[in-house]
Short mmCIF file of all heavy atoms in Angstrom, two decimals:
data_model
loop_
_atom_site.label_atom_id
_atom_site.label_comp_id
_atom_site.label_asym_id
_atom_site.label_seq_id
_atom_site.Cartn_x
_atom_site.Cartn_y
_atom_site.Cartn_z
N MET M 1 -6.31 -10.63 -4.39
CA MET M 1 -5.53 -9.44 -4.72
C MET M 1 -4.20 -9.47 -3.99
O MET M 1 -4.05 -10.09 -2.96
CB MET M 1 -6.32 -8.18 -4.35
CG MET M 1 -6.56 -7.99 -2.87
SD MET M 1 -7.72 -6.65 -2.50
CE MET M 1 -6.71 -5.22 -2.76
N LYS M 2 -3.25 -8.78 -4.60
CA LYS M 2 -1.90 -8.76 -4.04
C LYS M 2 -1.36 -7.32 -4.11
O LYS M 2 -1.56 -6.64 -5.12
CB LYS M 2 -1.02 -9.70 -4.85
CG LYS M 2 0.39 -9.80 -4.34
CD LYS M 2 1.19 -10.75 -5.21
CE LYS M 2 2.66 -10.62 -4.87
NZ LYS M 2 3.52 -11.09 -5.96
N ILE M 3 -0.70 -6.90 -3.05
CA ILE M 3 -0.13 -5.55 -3.02
C ILE M 3 1.35 -5.64 -3.36
O ILE M 3 2.07 -6.47 -2.79
CB ILE M 3 -0.24 -4.93 -1.61
CG1 ILE M 3 -1.69 -4.88 -1.15
CG2 ILE M 3 0.38 -3.55 -1.58
CD1 ILE M 3 -1.85 -4.46 0.31
N THR M 4 1.78 -4.79 -4.28
CA THR M 4 3.22 -4.68 -4.49
C THR M 4 3.63 -3.22 -4.32
O THR M 4 2.86 -2.30 -4.59
CB THR M 4 3.65 -5.17 -5.89
OG1 THR M 4 2.87 -4.50 -6.87
CG2 THR M 4 3.44 -6.64 -6.05
N ALA M 5 4.84 -3.02 -3.84
CA ALA M 5 5.36 -1.67 -3.61
C ALA M 5 6.70 -1.53 -4.32
O ALA M 5 7.56 -2.40 -4.23
CB ALA M 5 5.55 -1.43 -2.11
N ASP M 6 6.84 -0.43 -5.05
CA ASP M 6 8.10 -0.14 -5.72
C ASP M 6 8.91 0.78 -4.79
O ASP M 6 8.64 1.98 -4.69
CB ASP M 6 7.82 0.55 -7.06
CG ASP M 6 9.09 0.78 -7.86
OD1 ASP M 6 10.18 0.85 -7.24
OD2 ASP M 6 9.00 0.90 -9.09
N LEU M 7 9.88 0.21 -4.13
CA LEU M 7 10.63 0.97 -3.12
C LEU M 7 11.54 2.02 -3.74
O LEU M 7 11.98 2.94 -3.06
CB LEU M 7 11.43 0.01 -2.23
CG LEU M 7 10.57 -0.98 -1.43
CD1 LEU M 7 11.44 -1.79 -0.49
CD2 LEU M 7 9.46 -0.28 -0.65
N ASP M 8 11.80 1.90 -5.05
CA ASP M 8 12.57 2.96 -5.72
C ASP M 8 11.74 4.23 -5.85
O ASP M 8 12.28 5.33 -5.92
CB ASP M 8 13.02 2.50 -7.11
CG ASP M 8 14.10 1.42 -7.01
OD1 ASP M 8 14.81 1.40 -5.99
OD2 ASP M 8 14.19 0.60 -7.94
N LEU M 9 10.41 4.05 -5.91
CA LEU M 9 9.53 5.22 -6.04
C LEU M 9 9.09 5.77 -4.69
O LEU M 9 8.79 6.95 -4.56
CB LEU M 9 8.28 4.84 -6.86
CG LEU M 9 8.49 4.55 -8.34
CD1 LEU M 9 7.17 4.11 -8.99
CD2 LEU M 9 9.02 5.78 -9.06
N CYS M 10 9.00 4.91 -3.69
CA CYS M 10 8.48 5.32 -2.39
C CYS M 10 9.38 6.39 -1.77
O CYS M 10 10.59 6.25 -1.72
CB CYS M 10 8.43 4.11 -1.46
SG CYS M 10 7.90 4.55 0.21
N GLN M 11 8.74 7.45 -1.29
CA GLN M 11 9.49 8.53 -0.63
C GLN M 11 9.09 8.68 0.83
O GLN M 11 9.37 9.70 1.45
CB GLN M 11 9.28 9.84 -1.38
CG GLN M 11 9.91 9.80 -2.78
CD GLN M 11 9.70 11.09 -3.56
OE1 GLN M 11 9.11 12.04 -3.06
NE2 GLN M 11 10.16 11.10 -4.79
N GLY M 12 8.40 7.68 1.35
CA GLY M 12 8.13 7.67 2.78
C GLY M 12 7.10 8.68 3.25
O GLY M 12 7.13 9.11 4.40
N HIS M 13 6.18 9.07 2.37
CA HIS M 13 5.18 10.07 2.77
C HIS M 13 4.17 9.54 3.79
O HIS M 13 3.50 10.32 4.45
CB HIS M 13 4.41 10.58 1.55
CG HIS M 13 5.27 11.28 0.56
ND1 HIS M 13 5.82 12.50 0.80
CD2 HIS M 13 5.68 10.91 -0.68
CE1 HIS M 13 6.53 12.87 -0.26
NE2 HIS M 13 6.46 11.92 -1.17
N ALA M 14 4.01 8.24 3.84
CA ALA M 14 3.13 7.58 4.82
C ALA M 14 1.64 7.85 4.60
O ALA M 14 0.84 7.62 5.49
CB ALA M 14 3.52 7.92 6.25
N VAL M 15 1.28 8.32 3.42
CA VAL M 15 -0.15 8.45 3.12
C VAL M 15 -0.80 7.06 3.16
O VAL M 15 -1.92 6.90 3.67
CB VAL M 15 -0.36 9.08 1.73
CG1 VAL M 15 -1.83 9.15 1.37
CG2 VAL M 15 0.27 10.46 1.68
N CYS M 16 -0.10 6.08 2.68
CA CYS M 16 -0.64 4.72 2.66
C CYS M 16 -0.92 4.23 4.08
O CYS M 16 -1.96 3.61 4.34
CB CYS M 16 0.33 3.78 1.95
SG CYS M 16 2.01 3.84 2.62
N GLN M 17 -0.03 4.52 4.98
CA GLN M 17 -0.23 4.11 6.37
C GLN M 17 -1.44 4.80 6.98
O GLN M 17 -2.21 4.20 7.73
CB GLN M 17 1.03 4.44 7.18
CG GLN M 17 0.95 3.99 8.63
CD GLN M 17 2.23 4.33 9.37
OE1 GLN M 17 3.29 3.81 9.08
NE2 GLN M 17 2.13 5.20 10.33
N ALA M 18 -1.64 6.07 6.63
CA ALA M 18 -2.80 6.79 7.14
C ALA M 18 -4.10 6.18 6.61
O ALA M 18 -5.10 6.09 7.33
CB ALA M 18 -2.71 8.26 6.75
N GLU M 19 -4.08 5.71 5.37
CA GLU M 19 -5.30 5.17 4.76
C GLU M 19 -5.58 3.73 5.19
O GLU M 19 -6.73 3.34 5.33
CB GLU M 19 -5.20 5.23 3.23
CG GLU M 19 -5.16 6.63 2.65
CD GLU M 19 -6.46 7.41 2.87
OE1 GLU M 19 -7.51 6.80 3.10
OE2 GLU M 19 -6.39 8.65 2.80
N ALA M 20 -4.54 2.95 5.36
CA ALA M 20 -4.73 1.53 5.65
C ALA M 20 -3.60 1.03 6.57
O ALA M 20 -2.70 0.31 6.14
CB ALA M 20 -4.76 0.73 4.35
N PRO M 21 -3.64 1.42 7.84
CA PRO M 21 -2.52 1.12 8.74
C PRO M 21 -2.32 -0.37 9.00
O PRO M 21 -1.23 -0.78 9.41
CB PRO M 21 -2.91 1.85 10.04
CG PRO M 21 -4.35 2.16 9.92
CD PRO M 21 -4.68 2.23 8.47
N GLU M 22 -3.35 -1.17 8.73
CA GLU M 22 -3.13 -2.61 8.96
C GLU M 22 -2.29 -3.24 7.86
O GLU M 22 -1.80 -4.37 8.01
CB GLU M 22 -4.39 -3.39 9.15
CG GLU M 22 -5.77 -3.15 8.68
CD GLU M 22 -6.34 -1.83 8.24
OE1 GLU M 22 -5.88 -0.72 8.50
OE2 GLU M 22 -7.33 -1.96 7.56
N PHE M 23 -2.08 -2.51 6.77
CA PHE M 23 -1.33 -3.08 5.64
C PHE M 23 0.00 -2.40 5.37
O PHE M 23 0.86 -2.99 4.73
CB PHE M 23 -2.19 -3.05 4.38
CG PHE M 23 -3.40 -3.89 4.52
CD1 PHE M 23 -4.63 -3.32 4.81
CD2 PHE M 23 -3.31 -5.27 4.43
CE1 PHE M 23 -5.74 -4.11 5.00
CE2 PHE M 23 -4.42 -6.06 4.62
CZ PHE M 23 -5.63 -5.49 4.90
N PHE M 24 0.15 -1.15 5.85
CA PHE M 24 1.37 -0.42 5.52
C PHE M 24 1.98 0.18 6.78
O PHE M 24 1.29 0.80 7.58
CB PHE M 24 1.05 0.72 4.54
CG PHE M 24 0.39 0.25 3.27
CD1 PHE M 24 -0.98 0.39 3.10
CD2 PHE M 24 1.13 -0.35 2.27
CE1 PHE M 24 -1.60 -0.05 1.94
CE2 PHE M 24 0.52 -0.79 1.10
CZ PHE M 24 -0.84 -0.65 0.94
N ASP M 25 3.28 -0.01 6.91
CA ASP M 25 4.00 0.60 8.01
C ASP M 25 5.16 1.39 7.40
O ASP M 25 5.91 0.88 6.58
CB ASP M 25 4.53 -0.48 8.96
CG ASP M 25 5.23 0.15 10.15
OD1 ASP M 25 4.58 0.93 10.86
OD2 ASP M 25 6.42 -0.13 10.35
N VAL M 26 5.26 2.66 7.79
CA VAL M 26 6.31 3.50 7.24
C VAL M 26 7.12 4.08 8.40
O VAL M 26 6.59 4.83 9.22
CB VAL M 26 5.71 4.65 6.39
CG1 VAL M 26 6.83 5.44 5.71
CG2 VAL M 26 4.74 4.10 5.35
N PRO M 27 8.38 3.74 8.50
CA PRO M 27 9.22 4.28 9.57
C PRO M 27 9.45 5.78 9.35
O PRO M 27 9.25 6.28 8.24
CB PRO M 27 10.53 3.51 9.44
CG PRO M 27 10.54 2.99 8.05
CD PRO M 27 9.12 2.85 7.59
N SER M 28 9.86 6.50 10.39
CA SER M 28 10.00 7.95 10.25
C SER M 28 11.05 8.30 9.19
O SER M 28 10.97 9.31 8.54
CB SER M 28 10.34 8.59 11.60
OG SER M 28 11.40 7.92 12.19
N ARG M 29 12.05 7.46 9.03
CA ARG M 29 12.97 7.62 7.89
C ARG M 29 13.02 6.29 7.20
O ARG M 29 13.41 5.30 7.79
CB ARG M 29 14.39 7.94 8.37
CG ARG M 29 14.56 9.35 8.84
CD ARG M 29 15.80 9.43 9.71
NE ARG M 29 15.92 10.77 10.24
CZ ARG M 29 16.63 11.74 9.66
NH1 ARG M 29 17.31 11.48 8.58
NH2 ARG M 29 16.68 12.92 10.18
N GLY M 30 12.65 6.26 5.95
CA GLY M 30 12.71 5.01 5.23
C GLY M 30 11.51 4.81 4.35
O GLY M 30 10.69 5.71 4.18
N THR M 31 11.40 3.61 3.81
CA THR M 31 10.35 3.33 2.84
C THR M 31 9.34 2.37 3.45
O THR M 31 9.55 1.78 4.50
CB THR M 31 10.96 2.71 1.56
OG1 THR M 31 11.75 1.59 1.93
CG2 THR M 31 11.81 3.73 0.82
N VAL M 32 8.25 2.24 2.73
CA VAL M 32 7.10 1.48 3.22
C VAL M 32 7.43 -0.01 3.40
O VAL M 32 8.19 -0.59 2.62
CB VAL M 32 5.92 1.66 2.24
CG1 VAL M 32 6.22 1.04 0.88
CG2 VAL M 32 4.63 1.07 2.81
N GLU M 33 6.84 -0.56 4.44
CA GLU M 33 6.85 -2.02 4.58
C GLU M 33 5.41 -2.49 4.43
O GLU M 33 4.52 -1.98 5.12
CB GLU M 33 7.38 -2.42 5.95
CG GLU M 33 7.40 -3.94 6.11
CD GLU M 33 7.73 -4.38 7.54
OE1 GLU M 33 8.08 -3.52 8.37
OE2 GLU M 33 7.59 -5.59 7.81
N VAL M 34 5.19 -3.41 3.52
CA VAL M 34 3.85 -3.97 3.36
C VAL M 34 3.68 -5.08 4.38
O VAL M 34 4.41 -6.08 4.36
CB VAL M 34 3.63 -4.50 1.92
CG1 VAL M 34 2.21 -5.03 1.77
CG2 VAL M 34 3.88 -3.40 0.89
N LEU M 35 2.74 -4.90 5.29
CA LEU M 35 2.59 -5.84 6.41
C LEU M 35 1.88 -7.11 6.00
O LEU M 35 2.08 -8.17 6.58
CB LEU M 35 1.82 -5.16 7.55
CG LEU M 35 2.46 -3.88 8.10
CD1 LEU M 35 1.54 -3.23 9.11
CD2 LEU M 35 3.82 -4.17 8.72
N ASN M 36 1.00 -6.98 5.01
CA ASN M 36 0.22 -8.13 4.55
C ASN M 36 -0.02 -7.94 3.06
O ASN M 36 -0.75 -7.04 2.65
CB ASN M 36 -1.10 -8.20 5.33
CG ASN M 36 -2.03 -9.27 4.80
OD1 ASN M 36 -1.68 -10.01 3.87
ND2 ASN M 36 -3.21 -9.36 5.37
N ARG M 37 0.62 -8.76 2.25
CA ARG M 37 0.54 -8.57 0.80
C ARG M 37 -0.74 -9.12 0.19
O ARG M 37 -1.02 -8.89 -0.98
CB ARG M 37 1.73 -9.27 0.12
CG ARG M 37 3.01 -8.57 0.39
CD ARG M 37 4.20 -9.16 -0.33
NE ARG M 37 5.39 -8.47 0.12
CZ ARG M 37 5.77 -7.27 -0.31
NH1 ARG M 37 5.07 -6.67 -1.24
NH2 ARG M 37 6.83 -6.69 0.18
N HIS M 38 -1.47 -9.87 0.95
CA HIS M 38 -2.67 -10.52 0.40
C HIS M 38 -3.90 -10.16 1.23
O HIS M 38 -4.38 -10.99 2.01
CB HIS M 38 -2.47 -12.03 0.35
CG HIS M 38 -1.34 -12.44 -0.54
ND1 HIS M 38 -1.50 -12.56 -1.91
CD2 HIS M 38 -0.05 -12.72 -0.28
CE1 HIS M 38 -0.33 -12.91 -2.45
NE2 HIS M 38 0.56 -13.02 -1.48
N PRO M 39 -4.42 -8.96 1.09
CA PRO M 39 -5.56 -8.55 1.90
C PRO M 39 -6.83 -9.31 1.55
O PRO M 39 -7.01 -9.75 0.40
CB PRO M 39 -5.74 -7.07 1.56
CG PRO M 39 -4.72 -6.71 0.58
CD PRO M 39 -3.94 -7.92 0.20
N GLU M 40 -7.69 -9.44 2.53
CA GLU M 40 -8.99 -10.05 2.31
C GLU M 40 -9.82 -9.09 1.46
O GLU M 40 -9.57 -7.88 1.47
CB GLU M 40 -9.75 -10.26 3.63
CG GLU M 40 -8.96 -10.67 4.85
CD GLU M 40 -7.91 -9.67 5.30
OE1 GLU M 40 -8.27 -8.51 5.62
OE2 GLU M 40 -6.73 -10.05 5.32
N PRO M 41 -10.82 -9.59 0.75
CA PRO M 41 -11.64 -8.73 -0.11
C PRO M 41 -12.27 -7.56 0.64
O PRO M 41 -12.43 -6.48 0.08
CB PRO M 41 -12.73 -9.68 -0.64
CG PRO M 41 -12.13 -11.04 -0.52
CD PRO M 41 -11.17 -11.00 0.63
N GLU M 42 -12.59 -7.74 1.92
CA GLU M 42 -13.24 -6.66 2.68
C GLU M 42 -12.32 -5.45 2.81
O GLU M 42 -12.78 -4.34 3.08
CB GLU M 42 -13.63 -7.11 4.09
CG GLU M 42 -14.47 -8.38 4.16
CD GLU M 42 -13.62 -9.63 4.03
OE1 GLU M 42 -12.83 -9.89 4.94
OE2 GLU M 42 -13.75 -10.35 3.01
N ALA M 43 -11.02 -5.67 2.69
CA ALA M 43 -10.07 -4.57 2.89
C ALA M 43 -9.77 -3.83 1.59
O ALA M 43 -9.02 -2.87 1.59
CB ALA M 43 -8.78 -5.13 3.47
N ARG M 44 -10.39 -4.26 0.51
CA ARG M 44 -10.03 -3.71 -0.79
C ARG M 44 -10.17 -2.18 -0.85
O ARG M 44 -9.30 -1.50 -1.36
CB ARG M 44 -10.88 -4.36 -1.90
CG ARG M 44 -10.64 -3.76 -3.27
CD ARG M 44 -11.46 -4.46 -4.33
NE ARG M 44 -10.93 -5.76 -4.67
CZ ARG M 44 -10.00 -5.96 -5.64
NH1 ARG M 44 -9.54 -4.95 -6.32
NH2 ARG M 44 -9.57 -7.16 -5.90
N GLU M 45 -11.26 -1.67 -0.30
CA GLU M 45 -11.49 -0.22 -0.41
C GLU M 45 -10.37 0.58 0.24
O GLU M 45 -9.88 1.56 -0.33
CB GLU M 45 -12.82 0.15 0.26
CG GLU M 45 -13.94 0.28 -0.73
CD GLU M 45 -15.20 0.79 -0.07
OE1 GLU M 45 -15.12 1.81 0.63
OE2 GLU M 45 -16.23 0.15 -0.26
N ALA M 46 -9.97 0.17 1.43
CA ALA M 46 -8.91 0.90 2.14
C ALA M 46 -7.60 0.80 1.38
O ALA M 46 -6.86 1.78 1.23
CB ALA M 46 -8.76 0.36 3.56
N VAL M 47 -7.31 -0.38 0.87
CA VAL M 47 -6.05 -0.56 0.13
C VAL M 47 -6.09 0.25 -1.17
O VAL M 47 -5.10 0.88 -1.55
CB VAL M 47 -5.80 -2.05 -0.15
CG1 VAL M 47 -4.59 -2.24 -1.05
CG2 VAL M 47 -5.60 -2.81 1.16
N GLU M 48 -7.24 0.27 -1.82
CA GLU M 48 -7.35 1.05 -3.06
C GLU M 48 -7.16 2.54 -2.79
O GLU M 48 -6.56 3.25 -3.60
CB GLU M 48 -8.71 0.81 -3.73
CG GLU M 48 -8.75 -0.51 -4.45
CD GLU M 48 -10.06 -0.78 -5.17
OE1 GLU M 48 -11.05 -0.07 -4.91
OE2 GLU M 48 -10.09 -1.71 -5.98
N ARG M 49 -7.65 3.00 -1.65
CA ARG M 49 -7.43 4.42 -1.30
C ARG M 49 -5.93 4.69 -1.12
O ARG M 49 -5.41 5.70 -1.57
CB ARG M 49 -8.17 4.79 -0.02
CG ARG M 49 -9.62 5.17 -0.23
CD ARG M 49 -10.15 5.96 0.95
NE ARG M 49 -9.93 5.29 2.23
CZ ARG M 49 -10.73 4.36 2.74
NH1 ARG M 49 -11.81 4.00 2.09
NH2 ARG M 49 -10.46 3.79 3.89
N ALA M 50 -5.27 3.80 -0.44
CA ALA M 50 -3.83 3.96 -0.23
C ALA M 50 -3.09 4.02 -1.56
O ALA M 50 -2.21 4.86 -1.77
CB ALA M 50 -3.29 2.81 0.63
N VAL M 51 -3.46 3.14 -2.48
CA VAL M 51 -2.82 3.12 -3.80
C VAL M 51 -3.11 4.43 -4.53
O VAL M 51 -2.21 5.05 -5.10
CB VAL M 51 -3.34 1.92 -4.62
CG1 VAL M 51 -2.86 1.99 -6.06
CG2 VAL M 51 -2.89 0.61 -3.98
N ARG M 52 -4.36 4.88 -4.48
CA ARG M 52 -4.77 6.07 -5.23
C ARG M 52 -4.08 7.32 -4.70
O ARG M 52 -3.67 8.18 -5.46
CB ARG M 52 -6.29 6.22 -5.12
CG ARG M 52 -6.86 7.27 -6.05
CD ARG M 52 -8.39 7.29 -6.04
NE ARG M 52 -8.99 6.00 -5.80
CZ ARG M 52 -9.95 5.76 -4.89
NH1 ARG M 52 -10.41 6.74 -4.15
NH2 ARG M 52 -10.45 4.56 -4.74
N TYR M 53 -3.94 7.41 -3.39
CA TYR M 53 -3.43 8.66 -2.81
C TYR M 53 -1.92 8.66 -2.60
O TYR M 53 -1.37 9.68 -2.18
CB TYR M 53 -4.16 8.96 -1.50
CG TYR M 53 -5.63 9.21 -1.70
CD1 TYR M 53 -6.59 8.59 -0.92
CD2 TYR M 53 -6.06 10.07 -2.71
CE1 TYR M 53 -7.94 8.81 -1.11
CE2 TYR M 53 -7.41 10.30 -2.92
CZ TYR M 53 -8.34 9.67 -2.12
OH TYR M 53 -9.67 9.89 -2.33
N CYS M 54 -1.26 7.59 -2.87
CA CYS M 54 0.21 7.60 -2.78
C CYS M 54 0.75 8.64 -3.76
O CYS M 54 0.50 8.54 -4.96
CB CYS M 54 0.78 6.22 -3.11
SG CYS M 54 2.58 6.27 -3.30
N PRO M 55 1.48 9.63 -3.27
CA PRO M 55 1.90 10.72 -4.16
C PRO M 55 2.90 10.31 -5.22
O PRO M 55 3.10 11.04 -6.19
CB PRO M 55 2.49 11.76 -3.20
CG PRO M 55 2.62 11.11 -1.88
CD PRO M 55 1.84 9.84 -1.87
N THR M 56 3.55 9.18 -5.06
CA THR M 56 4.56 8.80 -6.05
C THR M 56 4.16 7.56 -6.86
O THR M 56 4.99 7.00 -7.58
CB THR M 56 5.91 8.52 -5.36
OG1 THR M 56 5.75 7.39 -4.50
CG2 THR M 56 6.38 9.71 -4.55
N GLN M 57 2.91 7.13 -6.70
CA GLN M 57 2.43 5.93 -7.42
C GLN M 57 3.34 4.72 -7.19
O GLN M 57 3.65 3.96 -8.11
CB GLN M 57 2.32 6.19 -8.93
CG GLN M 57 0.98 6.78 -9.34
CD GLN M 57 1.07 8.28 -9.52
OE1 GLN M 57 1.90 8.74 -10.28
NE2 GLN M 57 0.24 9.04 -8.83
N ALA M 58 3.75 4.56 -5.97
CA ALA M 58 4.67 3.46 -5.65
C ALA M 58 3.93 2.14 -5.37
O ALA M 58 4.56 1.10 -5.32
CB ALA M 58 5.50 3.83 -4.43
N LEU M 59 2.62 2.22 -5.18
CA LEU M 59 1.87 1.01 -4.80
C LEU M 59 1.02 0.51 -5.96
O LEU M 59 0.53 1.29 -6.78
CB LEU M 59 0.95 1.33 -3.62
CG LEU M 59 1.66 1.80 -2.35
CD1 LEU M 59 0.63 2.20 -1.31
CD2 LEU M 59 2.58 0.72 -1.82
N MET M 60 0.83 -0.79 -6.00
CA MET M 60 0.05 -1.39 -7.05
C MET M 60 -0.73 -2.58 -6.51
O MET M 60 -0.23 -3.31 -5.65
CB MET M 60 1.00 -1.87 -8.15
CG MET M 60 0.37 -1.93 -9.51
SD MET M 60 1.64 -2.14 -10.77
CE MET M 60 2.20 -3.79 -10.40
N ILE M 61 -1.93 -2.75 -7.01
CA ILE M 61 -2.71 -3.94 -6.68
C ILE M 61 -2.73 -4.82 -7.93
O ILE M 61 -3.03 -4.34 -9.02
CB ILE M 61 -4.15 -3.59 -6.32
CG1 ILE M 61 -4.20 -2.78 -5.02
CG2 ILE M 61 -5.00 -4.86 -6.18
CD1 ILE M 61 -5.60 -2.26 -4.69
N THR M 62 -2.40 -6.08 -7.76
CA THR M 62 -2.57 -7.02 -8.86
C THR M 62 -3.53 -8.09 -8.40
O THR M 62 -3.74 -8.29 -7.19
CB THR M 62 -1.22 -7.66 -9.27
OG1 THR M 62 -0.61 -8.20 -8.10
CG2 THR M 62 -0.29 -6.63 -9.87
N GLU M 63 -4.13 -8.76 -9.34
CA GLU M 63 -5.08 -9.81 -8.98
C GLU M 63 -4.36 -11.15 -8.96
O GLU M 63 -3.50 -11.41 -9.79
CB GLU M 63 -6.24 -9.84 -9.98
CG GLU M 63 -6.99 -8.53 -10.08
CD GLU M 63 -7.52 -8.01 -8.72
OE1 GLU M 63 -7.90 -8.84 -7.87
OE2 GLU M 63 -7.54 -6.79 -8.53
N ASP M 64 -4.74 -11.98 -8.01
CA ASP M 64 -4.16 -13.33 -7.95
C ASP M 64 -4.71 -14.12 -9.13
O ASP M 64 -5.78 -13.85 -9.64
CB ASP M 64 -4.55 -14.01 -6.64
CG ASP M 64 -3.96 -13.29 -5.44
OD1 ASP M 64 -2.82 -12.81 -5.55
OD2 ASP M 64 -4.66 -13.20 -4.42
N ASP M 65 -3.96 -15.12 -9.55
CA ASP M 65 -4.42 -15.97 -10.65
C ASP M 65 -5.62 -16.79 -10.23
O ASP M 65 -5.76 -17.17 -9.10
CB ASP M 65 -3.29 -16.91 -11.10
CG ASP M 65 -2.15 -16.10 -11.69
OD1 ASP M 65 -2.42 -14.99 -12.21
OD2 ASP M 65 -1.01 -16.60 -11.64
S1 LIG Z 101 2.26 6.75 0.37
FE1 LIG Z 101 3.53 5.98 -1.28
S2 LIG Z 101 5.42 7.15 -1.09
FE2 LIG Z 101 4.33 7.34 0.82
S3 LIG Z 101 5.13 5.71 2.14
FE3 LIG Z 101 3.31 4.94 1.12
S4 LIG Z 101 4.13 3.92 -0.69
FE4 LIG Z 101 5.71 5.26 0.04
#
């Protein structure tokens, strides 16, 4: 799996960081930084929560080929 973030949509709410801090870092002013774009399968649940609860739908999970 691969995480992608649309920085045009991100408004810095940091919900993603609250759900999965090992993968998302959000500065107090600014947009999300994805710390690791290729999470291990064990992390899928946390990353999926971050994607689901992002208020602007800025995050996406795609599957690797
Ligand atoms: S929750 Fe969504 S809008 Fe908020 S910082 Fe994360 S990606 Fe950006």
